[in-house]
Amino acid sequence: MSSELLAGDPGREADRRARRNQLTRAAQWFAALEADPYARVLRTGTETPDAAEEAVRALGPLHRSALPDTWVTAERAVAEEVVGHPAFDAPAPAPAPGVSGGAPPPFRSAVLTLDRASAAPLAALTAFGGPLLWADDADRLEKRTATWARRLLAALGDRFDLAEHYARRLTGPVLAEQLGLPEAAHERFCRLLPDCRHALDGLLCPQSHAAARAGEAAETALAGLLAEALYRPTADALRASQIMALGVAEPTAVLVSNAVRLLLAEPGGWRRLAEDPGRAGEAVARTLRTAPPVRLESRAVRCAVTLAGTALPVGARVTLLVAAVNRDPLAAPDAPPFGLCTDLHFGLSAHLVGPIARAALRTLAETLPDLRADGDPVTRLRSPVLRAPASQPVAAGPVA
């Protein structure tokens, strides 16, 4: 996240950023109170945003949310055009003076700022069989993830928090191994990664000041660790590994947690998976459609363009409501899940999220066939992008 400080008075700059953080969040709340449906999505706490997303759809293929100064769509055809069109080439950076788009949150991650021209050479580094990853293919990644998952589950008791104690703890050692980090660096890597969990939400929604500063410090420390621990820490390798880590860790944890939540809520859903763990892939694919781990994708216009009949100037922002796009009644019935957009930062990480999630879910079903909910799951506040779980209590073994 940006660490630029005003020369001569860092304390004043820190105060200014904190105030702007609060004001940006207040503006989102005010817009939501004025019945702006996209602002209601951004404001959402623990309630589901589905109604607000459908309200956006009812306003047409492309709706301008006035106070957030963002164009929003729930239509699949429009979303696909945005992802495929060269004009939408960046994740909504701060625009130049005199153009539309407003300023992003002041603690926005510096890691997740990739445009497509920069992403292309870095994606080759994080590809299977590339210079950064240990696994040659998705199958080998799944096998190694399953090994770590079994080791982690063996240390858990009959009751645990699925999100915090399993899904989030699993991605750390898996990624540390894939990056070839020495064992001495694993513990610190796994400790820093969860502190970066707010990065994707922070792209669009100001996080609490404490969470934002903790995330900023964690990203800086993670960069330093990778510089010391990577085998060949070139500038590109460092940037690619940071982007990959942030793009894999929390979305994978959210995907695993959502898949388990949906299966436990479906009568007989978990039992059917436990009887046939090979169906974990189907469960992950279904979750990518109905409860995707990334629900908002934002792009900035790099050159003037017309989208859904609307002329958009340079600097305009467009946000895709991914879950609503997957529910689009106008889309082809056999259309695959819109899922993770495999450009920008997810171009370096999306191919890892699915295999890790499949292995995590399959191993969980094999190991704990009697898994059940042990209380209501709680969604993290200020998490409109991920709708990440704050807690998800589960239990295994005989019912008391």
Side-chain angles (χ1 to χ4, degrees):
M1 300 177 183
S2 175
S3 58
E4 295 179 2
L5 302 176
L6 289 178
D9 198 347
R12 179 177 295 179
E13 172 61 9
D15 289 344
R16 186 190 68 81
R17 293 172 73 201
R19 285 196 298 272
R20 187 155 69 85
N21 204 48
Q22 291 177 319
L23 289 172
T24 304
R25 183 61 174 163
Q28 292 177 354
W29 269 84
F30 178 76
L33 292 173
E34 293 295 306
D36 183 314
Y38 175 59
R40 285 166 52 203
V41 171
L42 292 176
R43 186 195 66 178
T44 187
T46 58
E47 71 275 10
T48 175
D50 291 19
E53 292 170 348
E54 291 306 316
V56 170
R57 189 193 312 282
L59 293 171
L62 191 63
H63 162 68
R64 182 174 178 268
S65 178
L67 194 54
D69 197 9
T70 302
W71 295 88
V72 194
T73 187
E75 190 168 294
R76 184 170 186 123
V78 178
E80 289 178 341
E81 183 174 354
V82 168
V83 172
H85 200 292
F88 303 93
D89 190 37
V99 301
S100 64
F107 290 95
R108 193 168 181 267
S109 171
V111 173
L112 303 175
T113 57
L114 212 59
D115 60 25
R116 288 172 183 156
S118 303
L122 297 184
L125 298 177
T126 65
F128 288 122
L132 275 178
L133 288 189
W134 176 84
D136 292 330
D137 52 38
D139 183 61
R140 184 165 296 188
L141 175 59
E142 287 194 41
K143 290 177 180 177
R144 290 304 302 163
T145 300
T147 298
W148 285 108
R150 285 190 291 269
R151 187 178 304 178
L152 179 56
L153 288 169
L156 296 176
D158 288 341
R159 285 178 165 78
F160 58 93
D161 188 319
L162 179 90
E164 199 67 22
H165 299 154
Y166 179 65
R168 287 193 178 101
R169 287 185 186 177
L170 177 60
T171 55
V174 170
L175 290 174
E177 180 181 68
Q178 289 302 312
L179 288 169
L181 303 184
E183 285 192 22
H186 280 212
E187 181 181 352
R188 188 168 176 232
F189 180 84
C190 295
R191 189 171 66 250
L192 288 170
L193 206 53
D195 285 341
C196 301
R197 70 181 67 183
H198 301 276
L200 283 159
D201 282 309
L203 295 178
L204 296 177
C205 175
Q207 301 298 292
S208 71
H209 188 62
R213 292 300 297 269
E216 187 172 63
E219 283 193 19
T220 301
L222 186 66
L225 171 65
L226 292 170
E228 297 171 1
L230 281 179
Y231 177 59
R232 291 179 179 171
T234 64
D236 280 353
L238 283 171
R239 190 179 188 196
S241 59
Q242 291 177 69
I243 294 168
M244 186 195 73
L246 267 62
V248 169
E250 190 66 2
T252 304
V254 174
L255 179 56
V256 172
S257 300
N258 286 353
V260 173
R261 174 176 54 80
L262 293 176
L263 286 164
L264 293 178
E266 176 187 342
W270 187 257
R271 172 54 57 185
R272 286 190 289 275
L273 179 63
E275 292 171 350
D276 184 6
R279 298 176 63 181
E282 297 174 18
V284 167
R286 185 168 63 250
T287 305
L288 282 170
R289 182 182 300 278
T290 59
V294 176
R295 299 178 69 98
L296 303 178
E297 280 281 0
S298 187
R299 298 289 186 273
V301 177
R302 286 292 185 88
C303 57
V305 66
T306 297
L307 180 67
T310 301
L312 302 180
V314 174
R317 290 185 291 182
V318 178
T319 297
L320 317 179
L321 304 181
V322 176
V325 165
N326 282 330
R327 299 192 301 266
D328 187 355
L330 300 178
D334 58 347
F338 195 68
L340 297 172
C341 299
T342 54
D343 64 342
L344 307 184
H345 40 269
F346 285 125
L348 280 65
S349 58
H351 61 298
L352 306 178
V353 172
I356 296 174
R358 288 193 296 270
L361 188 59
R362 184 178 63 252
T363 307
L364 188 65
E366 292 170 345
T367 308
L368 301 176
D370 297 319
L371 191 75
R372 62 187 182 278
D374 193 36
D376 294 331
V378 177
T379 301
R380 188 169 71 211
L381 297 176
R382 303 197 189 200
S383 185
V385 175
L386 300 174
R387 278 193 56 77
S391 67
Q392 192 169 333
V394 294
V399 179

